[in-house]
C-alpha cells in the first residue's frame, strides 16, 4: 500500500509543473544512460495494474477517446525528500480515489534510478485540470523542489485506449520540450 501511495504522488506532483504555485526548480543532476525520462529503467516495476472506472474486469481500458498523461519524477535521495513525499500522499490518495473523470491510473518506478512514473487516463482535459487545481495537489507542488533532484517532467496527449501504455508514455516524455523540474 505504501508503494502504491508513493507512486500516486509522482502523478500528482508532476501534473501541474510550470504553474506559478510550484516551488523553485531543484538543482539539476545529469541523467545517466540507463536513467532517462525517454528510456524505461532496466529495473522498472509497475506497482499496480491499470485500474480505475474505465478499466474492465480483464484490466483493459474501455474503448474511447481520452486525455492521457504521464509523469517522470527523479526523487532526491534525502530524508527530507522522502518525508515530504510520504506526507503529501495522504491527501493525494484520498483525492484520487474519488476524482471525477479519472478513468484509469497506473504507477511504476525504479529503485536503482530512484524514479517514479505515473500513467493517468482522463475523460477530458477539464477533469485532469480539476485534479491539478485540487488543494492536495497544490500543496504537493509546493514541495517539488524538496522532493525532486531535477529532470522530472509531465506530458499529456489525446489518444484512445491503445495509447495508455508505458511505451507510448516513454515516447511522449522523450519528445517533451517543456521545462523540467
Amino acid at each position: 500500500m505504501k508503494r502504491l501511495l508513493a507512486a500516486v504522488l509522482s502523478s500528482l506532483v508532476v501534473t501541474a509543473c510550470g504553474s506559478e504555485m510550484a516551488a523553485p526548480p531543484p538543482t539539476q543532476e545529469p541523467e545517466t544512460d540507463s536513467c532517462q525520462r525517454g528510456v524505461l529503467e532496466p529495473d522498472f516495476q509497475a506497482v499496480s495494474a491499470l485500474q480505475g472506472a474505465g478499466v474492465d474486469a480483464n484490466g483493459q481500458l474501455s474503448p474511447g477517446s481520452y486525455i492521457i498523461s504521464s509523469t517522470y519524477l527523479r526523487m532526491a535521495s534525502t530524508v527530507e525528500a522522502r518525508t515530504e513525499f510520504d506526507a503529501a500522499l495522504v491527501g493525494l490518495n484520498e483525492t484520487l480515489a474519488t476524482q471525477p473523470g479519472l478513468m484509469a491510473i497506473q504507477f511504476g518506478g525504479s529503485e536503482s534510478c530512484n524514479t517514479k512514473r505515473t500513467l493517468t487516463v482522463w475523460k477530458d482535459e477539464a477533469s485532469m485540470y480539476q485534479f491539478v487545481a485540487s488543494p492536495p495537489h497544490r500543496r504537493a507542488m509546493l514541495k517539488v523542489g524538496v522532493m525532486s533532484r531535477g529532470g522530472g517532467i509531465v506530458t499529456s496527449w489525446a489518444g484512445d485506449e491503445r495509447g495508455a501504455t508505458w511505451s507510448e508514455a516513454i515516447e511522449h516524455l522523450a519528445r517533451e520540450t517543456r521545462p523540467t523540474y
Side-chain angles (χ1 to χ4, degrees):
M1 179 67 160
K2 187 171 181 178
R3 291 183 79 186
L4 178 61
L5 292 176
V8 169
L9 183 60
S10 300
S11 170
L12 309 176
V13 169
V14 183
T15 304
C17 197
S19 118
E20 67 279 354
M21 297 176 57
T27 303
Q28 291 277 20
E29 292 180 12
E31 294 181 310
T32 65
D33 288 344
S34 62
C35 301
Q36 298 179 28
R37 66 183 175 176
V39 177
L40 202 58
E41 299 87 346
D43 67 334
F44 175 82
Q45 291 290 312
V47 176
S48 65
L50 192 63
Q51 54 192 349
V55 179
D56 67 20
N58 295 321
Q60 300 298 309
L61 183 62
S62 300
S65 296
Y66 302 105
I67 297 297
I68 304 166
S69 180
S70 186
T71 61
Y72 173 69
L73 178 64
R74 298 176 73 224
M75 294 289 297
S77 297
T78 66
V79 172
E80 182 182 17
R82 174 54 62 190
T83 300
E84 291 294 346
F85 187 86
D86 290 345
L89 293 177
V90 176
L92 293 171
N93 191 49
E94 290 174 3
T95 300
L96 277 178
T98 60
Q99 186 64 46
L102 178 62
M103 304 305 293
I105 192 163
Q106 188 174 33
F107 310 107
S110 162
E111 289 196 29
S112 68
C113 293
N114 196 18
T115 55
K116 307 288 186 204
R117 293 181 183 267
T118 62
L119 182 65
T120 55
V121 181
W122 300 92
K123 178 178 80 172
D124 51 34
E125 273 190 343
S127 299
M128 181 177 70
Y129 287 120
Q130 181 183 18
F131 171 72
V132 169
S134 70
H137 187 264
R138 291 192 330 249
R139 283 191 295 272
M141 285 305 305
L142 292 172
K143 299 297 184 175
V144 168
V146 174
M147 292 184 274
S148 174
R149 67 182 189 271
I153 198 155
V154 61
T155 191
S156 62
W157 64 97
D160 63 20
E161 67 282 357
R162 295 168 295 185
T165 65
W166 289 113
S167 60
E168 189 77 16
I170 294 297
E171 289 180 30
H172 284 274
L173 288 164
R175 291 192 303 256
E176 188 57 61
T177 60
R178 287 184 269 185
T180 61
Y181 53 92

